[in-house]
Amino acid sequence: MKDEIFKASFPTEIIQEGKVKVLVPKLRAFVTSPSEYAPSKAPVFYNPVMELNRDIAVLVLQAYQRTLDREISICEPLAGCGIRGVRFAVEVEAVKNVVINDINVKAFQLASYNVQINGLNDRVLVKNEDANLLLSSHGAPRKRFDAIDIDPFGSPAPYLDSAIRALRNGGLLCLTATDMAPLCGVHPKACIRKYAGKPLRTEYCHELAVRLLAACLVLTAAKYDIGVSIAFSHSANHYVRVYATIQHGAKKADENIKNMGYIFHCFKCFHREPAKGRFLTAGSEKCSECGSKINVAGPLWLGKICDEQFCELIEEEAKHRAFKRGQKIRRILTLIKDEVDAPLTYYVLDKLCDALALPVPPVREVVEALREKGFQAFLTHFNSRGIKSNVPATEIKELLREILG
Ligand SMILES: C[S@@+](CC[C@H](N)C(=O)[O-])C[C@H]1O[C@@H](n2cnc3c(N)ncnc32)[C@H](O)[C@@H]1O
Ligand SMILES: [Zn+2]
């Protein structure tokens, strides 16, 4: 592909994202109605909506590089048009090399062209292999990467084993999951198949999605006597993202297992209750508050889903970037940092007020009222009407009646 004039066999256009210009499929040309999902109709995958996901990935990789204070190598084994890998090479300081790969030959050609027009031929290698084959060929100690970004169609679960083996001790794994219907409990069987955990269709299903993905990662790594530290995670409407470093050693893997568990949930009265343990032992099948049938999600990760110090490093990086959605990103980062020590799950005011036939009050008013009563209360990036709190369901309902009554 070097120095050749590239002629795509499909409509394309040059776009700018972050600091790079890349050639992408002209999405308008591939849809016949506005409701069609254009990225998957094009011969090569490109989704402009994921810009924020890529922006945050740039920040996280830079923050991670700063913790190592040396040059890093990155692999993006499911690259589509190559925009993410090209951005990493250009926008993250001290990147020694990037390997970008896609099984689709047209994606490989387009990504190669994008590497070329950004003058990256000496630092970015483009491959056209199966992702697991590529990662497995980097499993030997000297061939491993410092960071791997798995951004697939749907679930990253099929790539976890090979990615963990292709990461250096201390390496950073970045995972996107877009299969929200399974993870949020619309298709529970698919979730059990992919993540070996049971989802629940609750109002806090996005947090459960992060915890199911984190659990799957923890258990996959544990097989290789590798421990995992969740450095950062975030959720948006159609995906969740988890960033984790790995540490070789059975001890760390054993410690991880202690943070596995379940969340019991009552759909009748909103009561929820975590229970630690790798295996579910027979317990009550009834809600301890109202006696209705209790439902369970898990096994899932009950430990922290963000490291406060690492979040501060990401925030610091965000100050120096001029992203289109910079303000939104900074708002998300602040919310995530503020909720690191918040209780598991969250209440969603609309849901509670709907059940109580009350109008929905401003979320900040309820947070204040909870704090005045001595409860912990945090806003959450998972939902703009969500509140993370240690208040029991019966008491938050009482408080809403007081406020609105
Ligand atoms: C969601 S897209 C990647 C988007 C890209 N990471 C970005 O930020 O724009 C997933 C890509 O994975 C590729 N793919 C699917 N199965 C693969 C496999 N087994 N090995 C390598 N690539 C694969 C698809 O061709 C597609 O381009
Ligand atoms: Zn109940």
Side-chain angles (χ1 to χ4, degrees), residues 44-47 50 54 76-84 101-104 107 129-132 151-153 159:
V44 173
F45 190 90
Y46 160 63
N47 189 356
M50 290 300 247
R54 289 185 284 266
E76 197 210 353
L78 303 125
C81 66
I83 185 168
R84 184 180 291 260
N101 173 75
D102 203 285
I103 201 164
N104 171 357
E129 289 182 4
D130 170 69
N132 278 324
D151 182 49
F153 292 140
Y159 307 102

Side-chain angles (χ1 to χ4, degrees), residues 316-334:
E316 192 54 39
E317 291 307 325
K319 285 184 195 158
H320 311 299
R321 310 269 173 167
F323 293 141
K324 269 177 239 158
R325 291 176 190 78
Q327 218 181 338
K328 182 170 182 188
I329 290 172
R330 283 188 286 275
R331 209 171 51 239
I332 293 173
L333 292 174
T334 306

Side-chain angles (χ1 to χ4, degrees), residues 283-299:
S284 167
E285 291 184 356
K286 295 213 165 126
C287 172
S288 56
E289 294 296 306
C290 76
S292 302
K293 178 179 172 278
I294 197 94
N295 294 271
V296 66

